[in-house]
Amino acid sequence: MAKLALMGGEKTVTRPLGKRWPIWDEREEQAALDVVRSGVWWRGGCADPQQSKVVQFEDAWARFHDAEHCVAVTNGTQAIGCALKAAGVEAGDEVLVPALTFVASATAIALVNGVPVFVDVDQNTYNIDPDAMEAAISDKTRAAVIVHNGGYPCDMDRIAEIARRRGIAIVEDCAHAHGSQWKGKGVGALAGGLGTFSFQAGKALTCGEGGAIVTNDQELAEKAYSFHHIGRISGRPFYEFHRVASNLRMTEWQGGILLTQLARLEEQTATRERNAAYLAAGLREIEGVDPIDRDPRVTRWGFYYWNFHYRQEQFGGVPRDRFLQAVNAEGAPIGVGAHGQPIYQNPLFINMNFGRTGCPVKCPLYGKEVDYRKVHCPTAERLHATQALCIGHPAFLGETTEDMDLILAAIRKVRANVGELTR
Ligand SMILES: Cc1ncc(COP(=O)(O)O)c(C=O)c1O
């Protein structure tokens, strides 16, 4: 039996897997050059708005996600805030958010003076648990930011039904879910609300920094446009302002690069899905690691990282983090899944660090007591501590399944040496 790399044996994976991210060639170089030479560096600089790279990207991105409208913005955090403002969230409103996500899903709520309320997650998908979400709705709840964690779509049938029946707005945080589909339709505009994207450097569609909001609702689209454009209203005089709002406009450089990157996304998503399906089949053959049990309504899974499960009790009792040490020593690029610790465990929330006045959580308009130190989402805490694993999307970009075989070989080797890890 081969000796574990952790114990001084040979590594299983001795080269980088997949592709180096981001991927570019002369098309991106030309896109950047075209913008430089055009002298039009912002979306408002074209006599014909359709000539703007940002406007062209908005049209293409809306189409790609089966939405009617898109507003491109500076980043994914601002996209969530802008969407929440368009949905009518104001001081004193509660907004539900899953415990497992990136912290920006919650800070974006506080940034618009909403009060984040943490909701537990589902143990198969790592997404917000629809039952827990419904149970958390109070007379103060205005909206929910639901996150397609790792790009795996939430149960949008249940979420849309709860939102309709209970009268709350849904913002789908699709920062991980470029190209993901639920029952054949792109995520983002599936619940009558708005969806937000991040195009930050590591994301499956990127221009370094950037974001977007999609919706099928014309009124919400007009509000989002206004909130991203210092409160202007399209069709009205340029120096007339209607709302307290910031400048969240995307630059033409970003628009140009996103258009070229988008031309690659369909094929890259197919490659990732092909490799992920192969890996999932291989994992099913190894006791103690499982892929997400995929819902047939998830018709496309575009991912930023691919979540899967570790089962300590089926893996000789080896704790998840010890397993990770061993597979990482073998060279397999596996990490803690679902974006890490429950976000309420961050110092921001533990220290109730909301500044001198304590707003928004101590806002008199809210009038309720919040103490984030008392928040416990038991499933999220357990999944984070013992179960969640993930692999980043660039590892899935190989032309053949060879890289997946290497990951599987590393896991199998650790599995075969499980006794070494419990000693
Ligand atoms: C779930 C989620 N929401 C929002 C964001 C924020 O996006 P950005 O970094 O573009 O502001 C991220 C970034 O990683 C994220 O993972």
Side-chain angles (χ1 to χ4, degrees):
M1 191 164 46
K3 191 172 176 184
L4 287 176
L6 192 64
M7 308 297 175
E10 299 271 311
K11 276 173 85 160
T12 312
V13 185
T14 53
R15 59 171 176 82
L17 301 185
K19 299 248 168 90
R20 194 165 152 219
W21 193 256
I23 292 170
W24 79 93
D25 61 18
E26 61 282 357
R27 285 171 285 177
E28 278 73 14
E29 292 171 0
Q30 190 60 49
L33 207 55
D34 286 349
V35 173
V36 176
R37 290 184 175 157
S38 72
V40 176
W41 296 355
W42 79 295
R43 65 177 296 157
C46 300
D48 171 6
Q50 289 311 316
Q51 294 300 311
S52 155
K53 300 291 181 200
V54 174
V55 172
Q56 288 170 19
F57 172 72
E58 287 175 338
D59 291 346
W61 191 241
R63 263 198 314 279
F64 193 73
H65 268 271
D66 303 299
E68 282 170 33
H69 312 276
C70 174
V71 179
V73 295
T74 44
N75 58 59
T77 308
Q78 294 289 1
I80 300 168
C82 188
L84 288 169
K85 286 201 230 171
V89 171
E90 292 188 13
D93 291 335
E94 286 180 350
V95 181
L96 311 179
V97 63
L100 294 184
T101 175
F102 180 56
V103 73
S105 309
T107 43
I109 298 167
L111 280 166
V112 300
N113 288 319
V115 178
V117 173
F118 296 100
V119 178
D120 214 342
V121 300
D122 171 79
Q123 60 177 348
N124 174 48
T125 63
Y126 301 105
N127 287 331
I128 197 163
D129 175 340
D131 291 324
M133 178 180 120
E134 177 153 25
I137 295 174
S138 78
D139 57 346
K140 294 272 179 194
T141 310
R142 182 101 196 171
V145 173
I146 59 131
V147 182
H148 304 299
N149 196 316
Y152 187 90
C154 297
D155 183 338
M156 291 312 297
D157 291 353
R158 294 239 21 233
I159 284 170
E161 187 277 321
I162 293 168
R164 246 191 331 269
R165 185 163 44 77
R166 304 295 300 269
I168 63 166
I170 297 294
V171 171
E172 289 175 55
D173 180 348
C174 311
H176 305 163
H178 309 80
S180 288
Q181 293 180 348
W182 177 257
K183 299 203 294 198
K185 278 219 163 5
V187 297
L190 291 171
L194 307 102
T196 62
F197 292 85
S198 163
F199 305 126
Q200 218 280 327
K203 300 288 161 43
L205 184 76
T206 182
C207 56
E209 299 282 359
I213 301 160
V214 296
T215 181
N216 283 334
D217 184 308
Q218 169 124 19
E219 201 183 322
L220 290 176
E222 284 169 6
K223 285 186 183 159
Y225 179 84
S226 181
F227 277 118
H228 111 296
H229 199 20
I230 324 201
R232 291 185 173 94
I233 291 181
S234 70
R236 299 295 308 166
F238 191 71
Y239 282 107
E240 185 180 286
F241 303 92
H242 298 256
R243 294 185 166 86
V244 178
S246 187
N247 170 6
L248 311 179
R249 294 184 302 264
M250 178 180 272
T251 65
E252 286 290 284
W253 326 97
Q254 291 164 291
I257 299 294
L258 284 172
L259 279 168
T260 54
Q261 291 280 303
L262 179 53
R264 306 164 189 276
L265 183 59
E266 188 93 49
E267 196 185 328
Q268 288 172 341
T269 308
T271 304
R272 291 187 192 101
E273 278 252 75
R274 200 169 49 245
N275 276 315
Y278 183 88
L279 183 68
L283 291 175
R284 276 193 208 96
E285 304 295 311
I286 307 173
E287 201 188 356
V289 279
D290 293 320
I292 284 180
D293 186 14
R294 184 164 167 165
D295 188 318
R297 293 171 295 178
V298 174
T299 44
R300 187 159 69 178
W301 183 1
F303 54 85
Y304 170 42
Y305 51 78
W306 192 78
N307 282 323
F308 63 111
H309 310 307
Y310 181 70
R311 313 280 187 206
Q312 178 172 338
E313 65 288 3
Q314 294 164 24
F315 215 99
V318 173
R320 193 270 322 268
D321 289 348
R322 185 74 175 142
F323 164 81
L324 273 177
Q325 278 176 349
V327 281
N328 291 161
E330 295 301 330
I334 304 174
V336 173
H339 224 303
Q341 68 181 352
I343 52 174
Y344 54 78
Q345 292 176 347
N346 277 287
L348 160 63
F349 296 104
I350 290 170
N351 300 331
M352 297 292 284
N353 194 9
F354 294 98
R356 189 168 49 81
T357 63
C359 279
V361 299
K362 288 209 164 58
C363 171
L365 290 171
Y366 182 45
K368 280 167 75 174
E369 280 287 310
V370 188
D371 184 349
Y372 288 116
R373 280 164 299 198
K374 294 189 182 144
V375 174
H376 287 295
C377 294
T379 306
E381 288 173 19
R382 179 175 58 76
L383 298 176
H384 167 63
T386 65
Q387 181 178 312
L389 294 173
C390 77
I391 300 173
H393 72 90
F396 294 85
L397 286 170
E399 313 301 338
T400 69
T401 49
E402 226 173 84
D403 294 341
M404 302 298 104
D405 282 326
L406 283 172
I407 294 172
L408 289 167
I411 299 174
R412 268 194 230 102
K413 184 175 164 194
V414 172
R415 172 78 235 180
N417 284 278
V418 86
E420 292 287 306
L421 297 172
T422 44
R423 245 173 239 150

